[in-house]
Coordinates of all heavy atoms in Angstrom, one line a residue:
Chain A
E762 N -9.2 -20.7 22.2 CA -8.7 -22.1 21.8 C -8.8 -23.1 23.0 O -9.3 -24.2 22.9 CB -7.3 -22.0 21.3 CG -7.1 -22.1 19.8 CD -5.7 -21.8 19.4 OE1 -4.8 -21.6 20.2 OE2 -5.5 -21.8 18.2
K763 N -8.2 -22.6 24.1 CA -8.1 -23.6 25.3 C -9.5 -23.9 25.9 O -9.7 -25.0 26.4 CB -7.1 -23.1 26.3 CG -7.6 -21.9 27.2 CD -6.5 -21.5 28.2 CE -7.0 -20.4 29.1 NZ -6.0 -19.6 29.6
T764 N -10.4 -22.9 25.8 CA -11.7 -23.1 26.4 C -12.7 -23.9 25.5 O -13.4 -24.8 25.9 CB -12.4 -21.8 26.7 OG1 -11.5 -20.8 27.1 CG2 -13.5 -21.9 27.8
L765 N -12.7 -23.6 24.2 CA -13.6 -24.2 23.3 C -13.0 -25.4 22.5 O -13.7 -26.2 21.9 CB -14.2 -23.2 22.3 CG -15.0 -22.1 22.9 CD1 -15.5 -21.1 21.9 CD2 -16.2 -22.7 23.7
N766 N -11.6 -25.4 22.5 CA -10.9 -26.5 21.9 C -11.3 -26.7 20.4 O -11.5 -27.8 19.9 CB -11.2 -27.8 22.7 CG -10.1 -28.9 22.4 OD1 -9.0 -28.5 22.1 ND2 -10.5 -30.1 22.6
I767 N -11.3 -25.6 19.7 CA -11.5 -25.6 18.2 C -10.5 -24.7 17.6 O -9.9 -23.8 18.2 CB -12.9 -25.2 17.8 CG1 -13.3 -23.9 18.5 CG2 -13.9 -26.3 18.1 CD1 -14.6 -23.3 18.0
P768 N -10.2 -24.8 16.3 CA -9.3 -23.9 15.6 C -9.8 -22.4 15.7 O -11.0 -22.2 15.5 CB -9.3 -24.3 14.2 CG -9.8 -25.7 14.2 CD -10.7 -25.8 15.3
V769 N -8.9 -21.5 15.9 CA -9.2 -20.1 15.9 C -8.4 -19.3 14.9 O -7.2 -19.5 14.8 CB -8.9 -19.5 17.3 CG1 -9.2 -18.0 17.3 CG2 -9.7 -20.2 18.4
Y770 N -9.1 -18.6 14.0 CA -8.4 -17.7 13.0 C -8.6 -16.3 13.4 O -9.6 -15.9 14.0 CB -9.1 -18.0 11.6 CG -9.0 -19.5 11.3 CD1 -10.1 -20.3 11.6 CD2 -7.9 -20.0 10.7 CE1 -10.0 -21.7 11.3 CE2 -7.7 -21.3 10.4 CZ -8.8 -22.2 10.7 OH -8.7 -23.5 10.4
F771 N -7.5 -15.5 13.1 CA -7.4 -14.2 13.8 C -6.8 -13.2 12.8 O -5.9 -13.5 12.1 CB -6.3 -14.5 14.9 CG -6.0 -13.3 15.8 CD1 -7.1 -12.6 16.5 CD2 -4.7 -13.0 16.1 CE1 -6.8 -11.6 17.4 CE2 -4.4 -12.0 17.0 CZ -5.4 -11.3 17.6
D772 N -7.4 -12.0 12.8 CA -6.9 -10.9 12.0 C -7.4 -9.6 12.6 O -8.2 -9.6 13.5 CB -7.3 -11.1 10.5 CG -6.2 -10.6 9.6 OD1 -5.6 -9.5 9.9 OD2 -5.9 -11.2 8.5
T773 N -6.9 -8.5 12.0 CA -7.4 -7.2 12.5 C -8.9 -7.0 12.0 O -9.3 -7.6 11.0 CB -6.6 -6.0 11.8 OG1 -6.8 -6.1 10.4 CG2 -5.1 -6.1 12.1
I774 N -9.6 -6.2 12.8 CA -11.0 -6.0 12.5 C -11.2 -5.4 11.1 O -12.1 -5.7 10.4 CB -11.7 -5.2 13.6 CG1 -13.2 -5.1 13.5 CG2 -11.1 -3.8 13.7 CD1 -13.9 -4.6 14.7
V775 N -10.2 -4.6 10.7 CA -10.4 -4.0 9.3 C -10.0 -4.9 8.2 O -10.5 -4.9 7.1 CB -9.6 -2.6 9.2 CG1 -10.4 -1.5 9.9 CG2 -8.2 -2.7 9.8
N776 N -9.1 -5.8 8.5 CA -8.8 -6.9 7.5 C -9.9 -7.8 7.4 O -10.3 -8.2 6.3 CB -7.5 -7.6 7.9 CG -6.2 -7.1 7.1 OD1 -6.3 -6.3 6.3 ND2 -5.1 -7.7 7.5
T777 N -10.6 -8.2 8.5 CA -11.8 -9.0 8.3 C -12.9 -8.3 7.6 O -13.6 -8.9 6.8 CB -12.3 -9.6 9.7 OG1 -12.6 -8.6 10.5 CG2 -11.2 -10.5 10.3
A778 N -13.0 -7.0 7.8 CA -14.0 -6.2 7.1 C -13.7 -6.2 5.6 O -14.6 -6.5 4.8 CB -14.0 -4.8 7.6
V779 N -12.5 -6.0 5.2 CA -12.2 -6.0 3.7 C -12.4 -7.5 3.2 O -12.8 -7.7 2.1 CB -10.8 -5.4 3.4 CG1 -9.7 -6.3 3.7 CG2 -10.7 -5.1 1.9
Y780 N -12.1 -8.4 4.0 CA -12.2 -9.8 3.6 C -13.7 -10.2 3.4 O -14.0 -10.9 2.5 CB -11.5 -10.8 4.6 CG -11.3 -12.2 4.1 CD1 -10.6 -12.4 2.9 CD2 -11.9 -13.2 4.7 CE1 -10.5 -13.7 2.4 CE2 -11.8 -14.5 4.2 CZ -11.0 -14.7 3.0 OH -10.9 -16.0 2.5

Side-chain angles (χ1 to χ4, degrees):
Chain A
E762 255 171 3
K763 75 181 183 205
T764 325
L765 297 176
N766 201 25
I767 49 175
V769 177
Y770 301 94
F771 184 52
D772 213 320
T773 63
I774 190 165
V775 280
N776 261 357
T777 59
V779 75
Y780 192 60

